[in-house]
Amino acid sequence: DAGVIQSPRHEVTEMGQEVTLRCKPISGHNSLFWYRQTMMRGLELLIYFNNNVPIDDSGMPEDRFSAKMPNASFSTLKIQPSEPRDSAVYFCASTTDWGIGNQPQHFGDGTRLSIL
Amino acid sequence: QQQVKQSPQSLIVQKGGISIINCAYENTAFDYFPWYQQFPGKGPALLIAIRPDVSEKKEGRFTISFNKSAKQFSLHIMDSQPGDSATYFCAASMNTGFQKLVFGTGTRLLVSP
């Protein structure tokens, strides 16, 4: 089975540009997470979707960040305008867990974002 | 209170040795404690997890020891192998309706041949 698929794997762009990161969760998973990983702050949860609905976006750093999940097989994380401090590795993860038990979160291989 | 403190930051172990990584937490509402393994260029992958109603869980060469009263838990890798060289993250979550993981800062393990 295919795992969580993220694209692009690498993105280099100039400050002020719009950046869109994409994620395809594992088929059948109803929960999707976006994380950001930096040396300074480690792994941080940005937003959580359940059944395509955003449930917790308390980790979204500011209004420049937005996330959507138009259907069960696709999600986007958008940064507009981008800033150098947004440089990080962004991960998407999915699972079937919804409050009962603890199924593992399956992570994609991430998008390494560099804002110049 | 939401933090999970992890140590050491890095660890070098000889092949065949025991690797030990420690984590501590403050929030007693945490009820699920997973360990994730991350290789360079890859996303984290669940290695092993424990709930606070048991003091130890073992899966192959990997063991979690859990001390509820001390609010500490640790990962032991027995007979460490060069292929175990990776970054390890402890995490914790509470039942908020979904698995909201709080991650430790990570330990970079190098197992020398």
Side-chain angles (χ1 to χ4, degrees):
Chain A
D1 288 339
V4 175
I5 300 173
Q6 291 187 244
S7 64
R9 289 297 316 276
H10 303 273
E11 175 88 13
V12 181
T13 191
E14 291 188 345
M15 181 175 66
Q17 296 298 305
E18 178 179 289
V19 173
T20 299
L21 311 181
R22 296 172 176 79
C23 174
K24 177 179 170 57
I26 293 173
S27 177
H29 283 188
N30 65 336
S31 296
L32 184 138
F33 306 79
W34 281 101
Y35 290 90
R36 178 171 67 176
Q37 185 175 41
T38 61
M39 289 297 293
M40 290 297 294
R41 301 175 67 89
L43 265 165
E44 304 173 279
L45 176 65
L46 299 178
I47 187 168
Y48 161 67
F49 290 87
N50 182 263
N51 292 325
N52 314 335
V53 176
I55 303 298
D56 186 333
D57 65 355
S58 58
M60 295 286 265
E62 48 196 278
D63 292 345
R64 296 185 298 106
F65 286 68
S66 62
K68 294 182 179 180
M69 192 164 186
N71 57 62
S73 59
F74 184 65
S75 177
T76 60
L77 178 67
K78 187 175 292 187
I79 308 172
Q80 167 63 18
S82 58
E83 296 182 4
R85 61 193 168 114
D86 302 330
S87 297
V89 181
Y90 291 81
F91 289 102
C92 175
S94 70
T95 186
T96 57
D97 185 52
W98 174 231
I100 301 174
N102 277 292
Q103 299 302 312
Q105 293 185 22
H106 296 264
F107 283 74
D109 287 338
T111 294
R112 182 173 295 276
L113 177 64
S114 297
I115 309 297
L116 306 177
Chain B
Q1 256 206 337
Q2 287 296 92
Q3 285 185 328
V4 177
K5 297 182 179 178
Q6 184 171 348
S7 64
Q9 190 173 8
S10 62
L11 182 61
I12 300 175
V13 174
Q14 284 195 334
K15 179 181 176 181
I18 302 173
S19 304
I20 301 174
I21 304 170
N22 301 299
C23 284
Y25 64 96
E26 288 296 324
N27 192 338
T28 55
F30 286 143
D31 64 357
Y32 175 67
F33 301 89
W35 285 88
Y36 278 77
Q37 179 187 54
Q38 184 178 26
F39 293 103
K42 298 293 187 180
L46 180 67
L47 189 63
I48 187 172
I50 198 168
R51 286 192 165 276
D53 52 349
V54 297
S55 60
E56 186 175 282
K57 183 174 181 180
K58 183 176 181 179
E59 290 185 1
R61 296 184 294 108
F62 300 92
T63 299
I64 299 179
S65 296
F66 187 84
N67 187 328
K68 188 174 181 178
S69 60
K71 292 183 283 187
Q72 295 175 347
F73 58 111
S74 60
L75 176 69
H76 296 236
I77 306 174
M78 311 300 288
D79 186 26
S80 298
Q81 299 297 311
D84 297 331
S85 298
T87 300
Y88 293 82
F89 294 91
C90 62
S93 74
M94 67 185 85
N95 188 356
T96 59
F98 73 98
Q99 190 188 98
K100 187 170 184 175
L101 292 174
V102 176
F103 284 90
T105 50
T107 296
R108 184 171 292 183
L109 171 65
L110 176 64
V111 181
S112 59

